[in-house]
Amino acid sequence: MAQGDFQTWLTYNNQTRLSQKWGYTFDLNYRTRGFFPFQSNLAAARGGLIYFLNEEWRLSGGYAWFGTYVRQIDNEWFHEHRLWQQVLWQKRNSRYIFSNRIRLEERFREFEDFFRKSAQGSFFTMRYRYMFQVQGLVIPSAKPNGFQLSWQAANEIMFQTGDLTGGRAFNQNRTLAGLILSPNRQMDLAILYQYIFQYQPAISEIEDIQSVRLTFLHQLDFR
Protein backbone atom coordinates (compact mmCIF):
# COMPACT_ATOMS: atom_id res chain seq x y z
CA MET A 1 0.00 0.00 0.00
CA ALA A 2 1.34 3.43 -0.98
CA GLN A 3 1.40 6.36 1.45
CA GLY A 4 -0.29 9.36 -0.13
CA ASP A 5 0.18 13.05 0.56
CA PHE A 6 -1.21 14.80 3.60
CA GLN A 7 -3.84 17.16 2.20
CA THR A 8 -5.92 20.20 3.12
CA TRP A 9 -9.48 20.44 1.72
CA LEU A 10 -11.14 23.87 1.70
CA THR A 11 -14.85 24.13 0.78
CA TYR A 12 -17.57 26.74 0.57
CA ASN A 13 -21.02 25.10 0.39
CA ASN A 14 -24.26 27.02 -0.19
CA GLN A 15 -27.70 25.43 0.18
CA THR A 16 -30.65 27.72 -0.52
CA ARG A 17 -34.35 26.89 -0.21
CA LEU A 18 -36.49 28.94 -2.59
CA SER A 19 -39.92 27.46 -1.86
CA GLN A 20 -41.57 24.57 -0.04
CA LYS A 21 -40.46 22.17 -2.78
CA TRP A 22 -37.49 23.73 -4.59
CA GLY A 23 -33.99 24.94 -3.82
CA TYR A 24 -30.47 24.93 -5.18
CA THR A 25 -26.98 24.05 -4.02
CA PHE A 26 -23.47 24.93 -5.12
CA ASP A 27 -20.01 24.46 -3.65
CA LEU A 28 -16.47 25.57 -4.42
CA ASN A 29 -13.51 23.37 -3.50
CA TYR A 30 -9.74 23.72 -3.33
CA ARG A 31 -7.47 20.88 -2.22
CA THR A 32 -3.77 21.08 -1.52
CA ARG A 33 -0.84 18.83 -0.74
CA GLY A 34 0.49 19.55 2.72
CA PHE A 35 -0.76 22.16 5.13
CA PHE A 36 1.69 25.02 4.64
CA PRO A 37 2.97 26.07 2.20
CA PHE A 38 0.02 25.09 0.02
CA GLN A 39 0.68 23.11 -3.17
CA SER A 40 -2.25 22.85 -5.56
CA ASN A 41 -3.82 19.43 -5.94
CA LEU A 42 -7.43 19.95 -7.10
CA ALA A 43 -10.00 22.67 -7.72
CA ALA A 44 -13.71 22.03 -8.23
CA ALA A 45 -17.10 23.71 -8.63
CA ARG A 46 -20.45 21.92 -8.35
CA GLY A 47 -24.04 23.08 -8.65
CA GLY A 48 -27.52 21.65 -8.87
CA LEU A 49 -31.22 21.79 -8.03
CA ILE A 50 -32.90 20.32 -4.96
CA TYR A 51 -36.46 18.96 -4.82
CA PHE A 52 -37.85 18.50 -1.30
CA LEU A 53 -40.23 15.56 -1.11
CA ASN A 54 -40.83 16.48 2.55
CA GLU A 55 -38.73 17.64 5.50
CA GLU A 56 -36.81 14.35 5.64
CA TRP A 57 -36.38 13.34 1.99
CA ARG A 58 -34.86 15.35 -0.85
CA LEU A 59 -33.71 14.66 -4.41
CA SER A 60 -31.02 16.66 -6.17
CA GLY A 61 -28.81 16.61 -9.23
CA GLY A 62 -26.61 18.78 -11.39
CA TYR A 63 -23.20 19.33 -12.94
CA ALA A 64 -19.66 19.57 -11.54
CA TRP A 65 -16.24 20.50 -12.92
CA PHE A 66 -13.04 19.15 -11.38
CA GLY A 67 -9.47 20.11 -12.25
CA THR A 68 -6.66 17.83 -11.01
CA TYR A 69 -3.11 19.18 -10.86
CA VAL A 70 -0.49 16.60 -11.94
CA ARG A 71 3.07 17.59 -11.05
CA GLN A 72 4.63 14.71 -13.00
CA ILE A 73 3.31 16.01 -16.35
CA ASP A 74 4.86 19.47 -16.64
CA ASN A 75 2.55 20.83 -13.92
CA GLU A 76 -0.55 20.26 -16.03
CA TRP A 77 -4.22 20.42 -15.02
CA PHE A 78 -6.52 17.59 -16.12
CA HIS A 79 -10.23 18.32 -16.41
CA GLU A 80 -13.24 16.27 -15.40
CA HIS A 81 -16.88 16.99 -16.29
CA ARG A 82 -19.31 15.26 -14.01
CA LEU A 83 -23.09 14.80 -13.88
CA TRP A 84 -24.51 13.78 -10.50
CA GLN A 85 -27.80 12.72 -8.93
CA GLN A 86 -28.54 11.93 -5.29
CA VAL A 87 -31.18 11.11 -2.73
CA LEU A 88 -30.76 12.26 0.88
CA TRP A 89 -32.72 11.08 3.91
CA GLN A 90 -32.21 13.10 7.09
CA LYS A 91 -33.76 12.37 10.49
CA ARG A 92 -33.57 14.87 13.37
CA ASN A 93 -34.38 14.79 17.06
CA SER A 94 -33.52 17.13 19.93
CA ARG A 95 -29.82 16.13 20.03
CA TYR A 96 -28.89 14.19 16.87
CA ILE A 97 -29.11 14.43 13.09
CA PHE A 98 -28.81 11.17 11.11
CA SER A 99 -28.13 11.38 7.36
CA ASN A 100 -28.09 8.72 4.65
CA ARG A 101 -27.03 9.74 1.14
CA ILE A 102 -26.84 7.79 -2.12
CA ARG A 103 -25.12 9.58 -5.00
CA LEU A 104 -24.55 8.55 -8.63
CA GLU A 105 -21.87 10.23 -10.75
CA GLU A 106 -21.21 10.08 -14.48
CA ARG A 107 -17.56 11.11 -14.83
CA PHE A 108 -15.95 12.24 -18.10
CA ARG A 109 -12.22 12.62 -17.38
CA GLU A 110 -9.01 13.54 -19.14
CA PHE A 111 -6.15 11.21 -18.30
CA GLU A 112 -2.60 10.47 -19.34
CA ASP A 113 -0.54 7.50 -18.16
CA PHE A 114 2.68 9.31 -17.30
CA PHE A 115 4.42 6.05 -16.38
CA ARG A 116 3.83 4.46 -19.77
CA LYS A 117 3.79 7.76 -21.72
CA SER A 118 0.53 6.85 -23.42
CA ALA A 119 -1.54 9.47 -25.18
CA GLN A 120 -3.97 11.66 -23.32
CA GLY A 121 -7.63 10.83 -23.82
CA SER A 122 -11.13 11.21 -22.43
CA PHE A 123 -12.58 8.37 -20.37
CA PHE A 124 -15.95 7.58 -18.81
CA THR A 125 -16.56 6.13 -15.35
CA MET A 126 -19.79 5.57 -13.45
CA ARG A 127 -19.39 5.92 -9.68
CA TYR A 128 -21.79 4.81 -6.92
CA ARG A 129 -21.48 6.41 -3.45
CA TYR A 130 -23.17 5.74 -0.10
CA MET A 131 -22.61 7.94 2.97
CA PHE A 132 -23.84 7.59 6.56
CA GLN A 133 -23.37 10.59 8.86
CA VAL A 134 -24.35 11.42 12.43
CA GLN A 135 -24.12 14.79 14.15
CA GLY A 136 -24.72 15.49 17.83
CA LEU A 137 -24.76 18.51 20.12
CA VAL A 138 -21.89 19.30 22.47
CA ILE A 139 -23.01 22.79 23.54
CA PRO A 140 -26.69 23.55 22.76
CA SER A 141 -27.76 27.03 21.80
CA ALA A 142 -28.91 29.20 24.70
CA LYS A 143 -31.32 31.08 22.40
CA PRO A 144 -33.22 30.21 19.18
CA ASN A 145 -30.59 31.53 16.76
CA GLY A 146 -27.52 31.49 18.99
CA PHE A 147 -24.12 29.80 18.91
CA GLN A 148 -23.87 26.04 19.29
CA LEU A 149 -21.11 23.44 19.07
CA SER A 150 -21.62 19.96 17.58
CA TRP A 151 -19.57 16.89 16.73
CA GLN A 152 -19.85 15.01 13.45
CA ALA A 153 -18.73 11.60 12.22
CA ALA A 154 -19.30 9.98 8.82
CA ASN A 155 -18.24 7.18 6.54
CA GLU A 156 -18.63 7.05 2.75
CA ILE A 157 -17.84 4.13 0.47
CA MET A 158 -17.60 4.34 -3.33
CA PHE A 159 -17.66 1.80 -6.15
CA GLN A 160 -17.17 2.34 -9.86
CA THR A 161 -17.53 0.80 -13.30
CA GLY A 162 -16.17 1.86 -16.68
CA ASP A 163 -12.77 3.08 -17.88
CA LEU A 164 -9.74 3.66 -15.64
CA THR A 165 -10.86 1.28 -12.91
CA GLY A 166 -7.98 -1.17 -13.18
CA GLY A 167 -10.52 -3.98 -13.17
CA ARG A 168 -11.59 -3.16 -9.61
CA ALA A 169 -15.10 -2.21 -8.55
CA PHE A 170 -13.87 -0.62 -5.30
CA ASN A 171 -12.90 3.03 -5.65
CA GLN A 172 -12.43 4.48 -2.17
CA ASN A 173 -13.62 4.78 1.42
CA ARG A 174 -13.67 8.03 3.38
CA THR A 175 -13.92 8.21 7.18
CA LEU A 176 -14.09 11.57 8.91
CA ALA A 177 -14.79 13.11 12.31
CA GLY A 178 -14.56 16.53 13.92
CA LEU A 179 -16.38 19.57 15.25
CA ILE A 180 -19.02 21.92 13.84
CA LEU A 181 -19.08 25.54 15.02
CA SER A 182 -22.44 27.22 14.35
CA PRO A 183 -22.64 30.97 15.16
CA ASN A 184 -26.31 30.86 14.06
CA ARG A 185 -28.70 28.60 12.12
CA GLN A 186 -27.52 29.96 8.75
CA MET A 187 -23.77 29.30 9.06
CA ASP A 188 -21.62 26.32 10.05
CA LEU A 189 -17.86 25.87 10.10
CA ALA A 190 -16.79 22.21 10.02
CA ILE A 191 -13.26 21.33 11.17
CA LEU A 192 -12.75 17.65 10.34
CA TYR A 193 -10.05 15.01 10.12
CA GLN A 194 -10.44 12.67 7.13
CA TYR A 195 -8.83 9.33 6.29
CA ILE A 196 -9.13 8.08 2.70
CA PHE A 197 -8.40 4.54 1.56
CA GLN A 198 -8.52 4.36 -2.25
CA TYR A 199 -7.42 2.41 -5.31
CA GLN A 200 -5.24 4.39 -7.72
CA PRO A 201 -5.35 2.81 -11.21
CA ALA A 202 -2.55 5.11 -12.48
CA ILE A 203 -0.08 3.37 -10.15
CA SER A 204 -2.07 0.10 -9.70
CA GLU A 205 -1.89 0.38 -5.91
CA ILE A 206 -4.02 1.02 -2.86
CA GLU A 207 -3.21 4.44 -1.42
CA ASP A 208 -4.14 6.02 1.90
CA ILE A 209 -4.47 9.78 2.37
CA GLN A 210 -4.90 11.83 5.53
CA SER A 211 -6.39 15.29 5.35
CA VAL A 212 -7.88 18.20 7.25
CA ARG A 213 -11.24 19.40 5.90
CA LEU A 214 -12.37 22.96 6.53
CA THR A 215 -15.90 23.52 5.24
CA PHE A 216 -18.02 26.66 5.50
CA LEU A 217 -21.71 25.79 5.05
CA HIS A 218 -24.08 28.67 4.25
CA GLN A 219 -27.81 27.88 4.47
CA LEU A 220 -30.48 30.30 3.28
CA ASP A 221 -34.29 29.97 3.37
CA PHE A 222 -36.47 32.33 1.31
CA ARG A 223 -39.80 30.71 2.07
Side-chain angles (χ1 to χ4, degrees), residues 133-151:
Q133 176 180 289
V134 59
Q135 182 171 321
L137 281 173
V138 177
I139 302 176
S141 175
K143 51 186 179 180
N145 199 33
F147 172 85
Q148 70 180 27
L149 179 68
S150 308
W151 59 267

PDB file of all heavy atoms in Angstrom, residues 133-151:
ATOM      1  N   GLN A 133     -23.939   9.514   8.030  1.00  0.00           N
ATOM      2  CA  GLN A 133     -23.374  10.587   8.857  1.00  0.00           C
ATOM      3  C   GLN A 133     -24.251  10.807  10.081  1.00  0.00           C
ATOM      4  O   GLN A 133     -25.480  10.740   9.995  1.00  0.00           O
ATOM      5  CB  GLN A 133     -23.289  11.871   8.034  1.00  0.00           C
ATOM      6  CG  GLN A 133     -22.804  13.093   8.792  1.00  0.00           C
ATOM      7  CD  GLN A 133     -22.749  14.306   7.889  1.00  0.00           C
ATOM      8  OE1 GLN A 133     -21.905  14.419   7.007  1.00  0.00           O
ATOM      9  NE2 GLN A 133     -23.691  15.234   8.093  1.00  0.00           N
ATOM     10  N   VAL A 134     -23.620  11.083  11.215  1.00  0.00           N
ATOM     11  CA  VAL A 134     -24.354  11.418  12.427  1.00  0.00           C
ATOM     12  C   VAL A 134     -23.723  12.661  13.035  1.00  0.00           C
ATOM     13  O   VAL A 134     -22.498  12.827  13.021  1.00  0.00           O
ATOM     14  CB  VAL A 134     -24.364  10.244  13.431  1.00  0.00           C
ATOM     15  CG1 VAL A 134     -22.951   9.847  13.838  1.00  0.00           C
ATOM     16  CG2 VAL A 134     -25.194  10.592  14.660  1.00  0.00           C
ATOM     17  N   GLN A 135     -24.571  13.551  13.527  1.00  0.00           N
ATOM     18  CA  GLN A 135     -24.119  14.791  14.149  1.00  0.00           C
ATOM     19  C   GLN A 135     -24.854  14.971  15.467  1.00  0.00           C
ATOM     20  O   GLN A 135     -26.062  14.764  15.542  1.00  0.00           O
ATOM     21  CB  GLN A 135     -24.391  15.985  13.222  1.00  0.00           C
ATOM     22  CG  GLN A 135     -23.918  17.328  13.755  1.00  0.00           C
ATOM     23  CD  GLN A 135     -24.025  18.424  12.706  1.00  0.00           C
ATOM     24  OE1 GLN A 135     -23.756  18.198  11.522  1.00  0.00           O
ATOM     25  NE2 GLN A 135     -24.418  19.619  13.122  1.00  0.00           N
ATOM     26  N   GLY A 136     -24.113  15.328  16.514  1.00  0.00           N
ATOM     27  CA  GLY A 136     -24.716  15.493  17.832  1.00  0.00           C
ATOM     28  C   GLY A 136     -24.249  16.759  18.515  1.00  0.00           C
ATOM     29  O   GLY A 136     -23.155  17.266  18.251  1.00  0.00           O
ATOM     30  N   LEU A 137     -25.059  17.269  19.415  1.00  0.00           N
ATOM     31  CA  LEU A 137     -24.763  18.507  20.119  1.00  0.00           C
ATOM     32  C   LEU A 137     -23.736  18.295  21.225  1.00  0.00           C
ATOM     33  O   LEU A 137     -23.788  17.308  21.959  1.00  0.00           O
ATOM     34  CB  LEU A 137     -26.037  19.089  20.722  1.00  0.00           C
ATOM     35  CG  LEU A 137     -26.969  19.849  19.768  1.00  0.00           C
ATOM     36  CD1 LEU A 137     -28.263  20.209  20.489  1.00  0.00           C
ATOM     37  CD2 LEU A 137     -26.291  21.108  19.249  1.00  0.00           C
ATOM     38  N   VAL A 138     -22.812  19.234  21.335  1.00  0.00           N
ATOM     39  CA  VAL A 138     -21.889  19.304  22.468  1.00  0.00           C
ATOM     40  C   VAL A 138     -22.309  20.439  23.385  1.00  0.00           C
ATOM     41  O   VAL A 138     -22.450  20.275  24.602  1.00  0.00           O
ATOM     42  CB  VAL A 138     -20.438  19.528  21.986  1.00  0.00           C
ATOM     43  CG1 VAL A 138     -19.492  19.680  23.183  1.00  0.00           C
ATOM     44  CG2 VAL A 138     -19.987  18.382  21.091  1.00  0.00           C
ATOM     45  N   ILE A 139     -22.523  21.621  22.801  1.00  0.00           N
ATOM     46  CA  ILE A 139     -23.010  22.788  23.542  1.00  0.00           C
ATOM     47  C   ILE A 139     -24.263  23.285  22.834  1.00  0.00           C
ATOM     48  O   ILE A 139     -24.185  23.866  21.739  1.00  0.00           O
ATOM     49  CB  ILE A 139     -21.958  23.909  23.595  1.00  0.00           C
ATOM     50  CG1 ILE A 139     -20.666  23.406  24.236  1.00  0.00           C
ATOM     51  CG2 ILE A 139     -22.502  25.115  24.362  1.00  0.00           C
ATOM     52  CD1 ILE A 139     -19.553  24.439  24.234  1.00  0.00           C
ATOM     53  N   PRO A 140     -25.458  23.064  23.406  1.00  0.00           N
ATOM     54  CA  PRO A 140     -26.686  23.550  22.762  1.00  0.00           C
ATOM     55  C   PRO A 140     -26.754  25.067  22.780  1.00  0.00           C
ATOM     56  O   PRO A 140     -26.120  25.740  23.587  1.00  0.00           O
ATOM     57  CB  PRO A 140     -27.795  22.929  23.635  1.00  0.00           C
ATOM     58  CG  PRO A 140     -27.132  21.882  24.450  1.00  0.00           C
ATOM     59  CD  PRO A 140     -25.713  22.302  24.623  1.00  0.00           C
ATOM     60  N   SER A 141     -27.559  25.588  21.872  1.00  0.00           N
ATOM     61  CA  SER A 141     -27.762  27.030  21.796  1.00  0.00           C
ATOM     62  C   SER A 141     -28.596  27.508  22.984  1.00  0.00           C
ATOM     63  O   SER A 141     -29.596  26.884  23.356  1.00  0.00           O
ATOM     64  CB  SER A 141     -28.465  27.389  20.489  1.00  0.00           C
ATOM     65  OG  SER A 141     -28.773  28.762  20.458  1.00  0.00           O
ATOM     66  N   ALA A 142     -28.177  28.635  23.570  1.00  0.00           N
ATOM     67  CA  ALA A 142     -28.910  29.196  24.703  1.00  0.00           C
ATOM     68  C   ALA A 142     -30.126  30.002  24.249  1.00  0.00           C
ATOM     69  O   ALA A 142     -30.990  30.332  25.059  1.00  0.00           O
ATOM     70  CB  ALA A 142     -27.987  30.066  25.543  1.00  0.00           C
ATOM     71  N   LYS A 143     -30.179  30.341  22.943  1.00  0.00           N
ATOM     72  CA  LYS A 143     -31.319  31.076  22.402  1.00  0.00           C
ATOM     73  C   LYS A 143     -31.622  30.541  21.009  1.00  0.00           C
ATOM     74  O   LYS A 143     -30.793  29.823  20.420  1.00  0.00           O
ATOM     75  CB  LYS A 143     -31.031  32.572  22.376  1.00  0.00           C
ATOM     76  CG  LYS A 143     -29.725  32.968  21.726  1.00  0.00           C
ATOM     77  CD  LYS A 143     -29.474  34.466  21.889  1.00  0.00           C
ATOM     78  CE  LYS A 143     -28.144  34.872  21.256  1.00  0.00           C
ATOM     79  NZ  LYS A 143     -27.896  36.326  21.410  1.00  0.00           N
ATOM     80  N   PRO A 144     -32.786  30.857  20.432  1.00  0.00           N
ATOM     81  CA  PRO A 144     -33.220  30.212  19.181  1.00  0.00           C
ATOM     82  C   PRO A 144     -32.224  30.294  18.032  1.00  0.00           C
ATOM     83  O   PRO A 144     -32.091  29.339  17.261  1.00  0.00           O
ATOM     84  CB  PRO A 144     -34.519  30.946  18.848  1.00  0.00           C
ATOM     85  CG  PRO A 144     -35.038  31.390  20.166  1.00  0.00           C
ATOM     86  CD  PRO A 144     -33.836  31.724  20.989  1.00  0.00           C
ATOM     87  N   ASN A 145     -31.515  31.391  17.881  1.00  0.00           N
ATOM     88  CA  ASN A 145     -30.588  31.530  16.759  1.00  0.00           C
ATOM     89  C   ASN A 145     -29.168  31.822  17.253  1.00  0.00           C
ATOM     90  O   ASN A 145     -28.397  32.528  16.611  1.00  0.00           O
ATOM     91  CB  ASN A 145     -31.052  32.653  15.818  1.00  0.00           C
ATOM     92  CG  ASN A 145     -30.423  32.536  14.435  1.00  0.00           C
ATOM     93  OD1 ASN A 145     -30.166  31.451  13.929  1.00  0.00           O
ATOM     94  ND2 ASN A 145     -30.149  33.678  13.828  1.00  0.00           N
ATOM     95  N   GLY A 146     -28.811  31.213  18.389  1.00  0.00           N
ATOM     96  CA  GLY A 146     -27.517  31.490  18.989  1.00  0.00           C
ATOM     97  C   GLY A 146     -26.450  30.468  18.627  1.00  0.00           C
ATOM     98  O   GLY A 146     -26.683  29.508  17.895  1.00  0.00           O
ATOM     99  N   PHE A 147     -25.272  30.670  19.178  1.00  0.00           N
ATOM    100  CA  PHE A 147     -24.124  29.797  18.912  1.00  0.00           C
ATOM    101  C   PHE A 147     -24.361  28.414  19.500  1.00  0.00           C
ATOM    102  O   PHE A 147     -24.896  28.264  20.601  1.00  0.00           O
ATOM    103  CB  PHE A 147     -22.862  30.403  19.533  1.00  0.00           C
ATOM    104  CG  PHE A 147     -21.670  29.483  19.462  1.00  0.00           C
ATOM    105  CD1 PHE A 147     -20.868  29.444  18.332  1.00  0.00           C
ATOM    106  CD2 PHE A 147     -21.361  28.653  20.534  1.00  0.00           C
ATOM    107  CE1 PHE A 147     -19.768  28.600  18.267  1.00  0.00           C
ATOM    108  CE2 PHE A 147     -20.254  27.799  20.477  1.00  0.00           C
ATOM    109  CZ  PHE A 147     -19.465  27.773  19.347  1.00  0.00           C
ATOM    110  N   GLN A 148     -23.908  27.393  18.753  1.00  0.00           N
ATOM    111  CA  GLN A 148     -23.874  26.036  19.286  1.00  0.00           C
ATOM    112  C   GLN A 148     -22.682  25.292  18.719  1.00  0.00           C
ATOM    113  O   GLN A 148     -22.149  25.635  17.665  1.00  0.00           O
ATOM    114  CB  GLN A 148     -25.171  25.275  18.988  1.00  0.00           C
ATOM    115  CG  GLN A 148     -25.399  24.913  17.540  1.00  0.00           C
ATOM    116  CD  GLN A 148     -26.714  24.163  17.340  1.00  0.00           C
ATOM    117  OE1 GLN A 148     -27.669  24.316  18.102  1.00  0.00           O
ATOM    118  NE2 GLN A 148     -26.761  23.345  16.311  1.00  0.00           N
ATOM    119  N   LEU A 149     -22.248  24.270  19.461  1.00  0.00           N
ATOM    120  CA  LEU A 149     -21.111  23.443  19.070  1.00  0.00           C
ATOM    121  C   LEU A 149     -21.576  22.004  18.947  1.00  0.00           C
ATOM    122  O   LEU A 149     -22.270  21.489  19.832  1.00  0.00           O
ATOM    123  CB  LEU A 149     -19.994  23.555  20.114  1.00  0.00           C
ATOM    124  CG  LEU A 149     -18.738  22.717  19.855  1.00  0.00           C
ATOM    125  CD1 LEU A 149     -17.984  23.232  18.628  1.00  0.00           C
ATOM    126  CD2 LEU A 149     -17.826  22.738  21.092  1.00  0.00           C
ATOM    127  N   SER A 150     -21.207  21.344  17.829  1.00  0.00           N
ATOM    128  CA  SER A 150     -21.615  19.964  17.578  1.00  0.00           C
ATOM    129  C   SER A 150     -20.401  19.130  17.191  1.00  0.00           C
ATOM    130  O   SER A 150     -19.354  19.658  16.826  1.00  0.00           O
ATOM    131  CB  SER A 150     -22.650  19.893  16.442  1.00  0.00           C
ATOM    132  OG  SER A 150     -23.731  20.761  16.669  1.00  0.00           O
ATOM    133  N   TRP A 151     -20.548  17.819  17.290  1.00  0.00           N
ATOM    134  CA  TRP A 151     -19.570  16.893  16.727  1.00  0.00           C
ATOM    135  C   TRP A 151     -20.205  16.201  15.534  1.00  0.00           C
ATOM    136  O   TRP A 151     -21.429  16.119  15.415  1.00  0.00           O
ATOM    137  CB  TRP A 151     -19.114  15.856  17.761  1.00  0.00           C
ATOM    138  CG  TRP A 151     -20.220  15.003  18.329  1.00  0.00           C
ATOM    139  CD1 TRP A 151     -20.944  15.241  19.462  1.00  0.00           C
ATOM    140  CD2 TRP A 151     -20.748  13.788  17.771  1.00  0.00           C
ATOM    141  NE1 TRP A 151     -21.889  14.260  19.655  1.00  0.00           N
ATOM    142  CE2 TRP A 151     -21.776  13.348  18.629  1.00  0.00           C
ATOM    143  CE3 TRP A 151     -20.454  13.031  16.644  1.00  0.00           C
ATOM    144  CZ2 TRP A 151     -22.510  12.193  18.394  1.00  0.00           C
ATOM    145  CZ3 TRP A 151     -21.181  11.870  16.398  1.00  0.00           C
ATOM    146  CH2 TRP A 151     -22.194  11.466  17.272  1.00  0.00           C
TER     147      TRP A 151
END
